[in-house]
Amino acid sequence: MTKVNESIKFSRGLELKNRIVMAPMTTKMSFYDGVVTKDELDYYSLRSGELGAVITAAANVQEVGKGWEGELGAYDDKFIPGLSKLASVIKQSGTKAILQIFHGGRMTNSKVTRGKEVVSASAIPAERPGAETPKELRQEEILELIEAYKEATRRAMEAGFDGVELHGANTYLIQQFFSPHSNRREDEWGGSLEKRFKFIDELVDGVTELVDQSDRENFIVGYRFSPEEYEEPGIRFADTLYLVEQLANKPLDYLHISLNDYSRVSQSDDHQGKPMLAYIFEKIAGRVPLIGVGDVRSREDAEKVLKMANIVAVGRALLIDPNWTSKIMNNQEELVRKQVSHFDREKLGLTNGVWEFMENMMADRIK
Ligand SMILES: Cc1cc2nc3c(=O)[nH]c(=O)nc-3n(C[C@H](O)[C@H](O)[C@H](O)COP(=O)(O)O)c2cc1C
């Protein structure tokens, strides 16, 4: 069985010193314009060093893709100096730095985008209160969007990151192209399952070609996806198995599922036998490393994930205990911090935005 402290080498040559990576987590700490803050540098500095890699909070590739206040920006060269500082604080003691790149699509609003009209694959609002009806992207705008992801990747390379992760999960724009709920197009970018995959297909090819044509060595490209949607129509687990089949044959360095619980079973009747993570691992059959995630709190959890994935991403446990990794690796698990209080916030670098998430997503771990 794969051990948590085993190294792993990706196909583009980058090596992680162990199997634990920090899951991408939005901090809401960036300046109003997306520039990295000192708070953010302190927060990442405190958590890196022991980990194989840190995947950053989502960084937007276009201004209109900004999903919330305090989000990292990657849509202009003006962000490169701040992103360089971010990459270098993460890269202390051999931890690798991966920038997650993202576009909110219809999951934002024109207040956050400073008046710019929200966009998506089709003019269908998300099923949530107050959602704005997005503008359907025109063909040339879709091509510009792919260029924007490529430009953000170039900036990540220039800033000294070790890779990018394409955020195709959590209902944001990449997923909106794949979903039959948000993509009702009748042109070449929508309709059948195969056509709804076209945007992802072109995006992954565009980004990986850019990286392979650059002179940066060992720079990796990963892809994150969510396995199912609840909307009707929506992405079903069988659609995701199709997606994974396509992506496993692409020149990607890893695939990364997005789950809140690694043992979650599909909602579809025909995939009830085991966790979704296990079905996906089986589908990939060793073609590309898979990152598993979702409520990993102990070494035992991490080892269970490593039976269904090659790498484990840890999010919330690292918010509470920045030294979680060394404690679980060095038989000091009894020292892992399991709860936090307001008094711990400052020393753990948990500013208001992250704390708000914590109150919503892990109230049981707040004293
Ligand atoms: C505060 C917070 C912010 C998050 N932001 C992102 C994000 O920017 N991008 C992303 O792909 N997932 C994001 N997630 C989801 C996590 O990456 C992860 O999948 C989830 O928290 C489950 O892992 P955990 O139980 O180890 O925290 C976020 C989760 C939390 C708690």
Side-chain angles (χ1 to χ4, degrees), residues 28 51 82 148 159 195 199 251 309 311 330:
K28 297 193 173 175
L51 293 154
K195 284 180 165 177
F199 178 72
I311 297 169
N330 302 329

Side-chain angles (χ1 to χ4, degrees), residues 255-314:
L255 299 183
H256 183 181
I257 194 168
S258 179
L259 287 170
N260 275 333
D261 175 354
Y262 66 86
S263 59
R264 185 177 294 274
V265 173
S266 168
Q267 348 163 44
S268 77
D269 293 340
D270 44 354
H271 291 96
Q272 292 291 313
K274 49 192 163 192
M276 287 188 280
L277 185 57
Y279 280 112
I280 286 166
F281 195 46
E282 202 175 276
K283 180 65 145 181
I284 295 173
R287 283 175 285 176
V288 58
L290 174 65
I291 305 184
V293 68
D295 210 16
V296 170
R297 300 190 193 201
S298 63
R299 183 178 176 121
E300 191 189 352
D301 288 329
E303 286 171 346
K304 281 190 188 156
V305 171
L306 286 176
K307 290 187 180 141
M308 305 181 275
N310 309 88
I311 297 169
V312 186
V314 180

